[in-house]
Amino acid sequence: LNRLDGGVFPLHEVRLSQATEVRRQERKDAAIEMKREQARRGDPAAAAAVGAESYFQDRDIDQAAKHFAAAAAKGDAMGLNNLGSMLLNGIGGYEKDEALAFKSFERSAALVNPYGMYNLAVCLMYGQGTAANH
């Protein structure tokens, strides 16, 4: 590995850097597993977080939908918002249902979730799941 000044890092510094990165990844993996366990035990916020990880990192839309639905069923604001997005777009095994998506965004917004508020406003502006309200 080269330093910015053109020199070379001593081997012990390279190994220390690699070991630090391994420990960082191990902590990240442990945190993700802890969230998954919390989700299995019924924690709605953990279910929403695991759903987001499934969707954005693992690209497992069906697994994300399962977690978002579990979180939404327990009234979690992010779960409601993300489930609404899936319903609005007809993904994750859901048929496109703008009216149900609107209700999901409405519940998320009522819990003061900024994403739910934004998505509710977009639905109102374009008349998705409700009459347009410019």
Side-chain angles (χ1 to χ4, degrees):
L1 295 175
N2 294 326
R3 296 187 317 208
L4 293 177
D5 66 4
V8 177
F9 286 109
L11 187 57
H12 72 277
E13 287 183 28
V14 172
R15 287 186 179 142
L16 180 61
S17 175
Q18 290 169 340
T20 300
E21 183 56 36
V22 167
R23 283 193 300 276
R24 184 178 297 125
Q25 186 61 45
E26 287 171 350
R27 285 192 306 270
K28 182 179 174 186
D29 291 345
I32 290 169
E33 187 52 43
M34 186 171 65
K35 281 285 182 202
R36 288 182 177 158
E37 180 58 31
Q38 290 171 329
R40 282 190 288 273
R41 292 181 181 185
D43 181 334
V50 172
E53 184 220 339
S54 296
Y55 186 83
F56 293 108
Q57 290 180 346
D58 301 338
R59 303 288 188 219
D60 188 341
I61 295 171
D62 293 333
Q63 194 67 9
K66 176 182 135 188
H67 289 293
F68 292 150
K74 292 191 175 190
D76 180 77
M78 278 307 292
L80 287 160
N81 177 70
N82 293 336
L83 179 62
S85 294
M86 292 190 142
L87 290 164
L88 187 65
N89 295 295
I91 61 174
Y94 293 102
E95 293 291 322
K96 185 173 182 171
D97 188 336
E98 291 183 355
L100 197 53
F102 178 83
K103 288 178 185 176
S104 193
F105 294 141
E106 195 171 43
R107 288 182 59 207
S108 179
L111 294 168
V112 196
N113 179 284
Y115 300 104
M117 291 176 187
Y118 173 81
N119 286 324
L120 180 63
V122 170
C123 286
L124 287 165
M125 188 167 72
Y126 292 108
Q128 293 176 296
T130 188
N133 184 358
H134 301 276

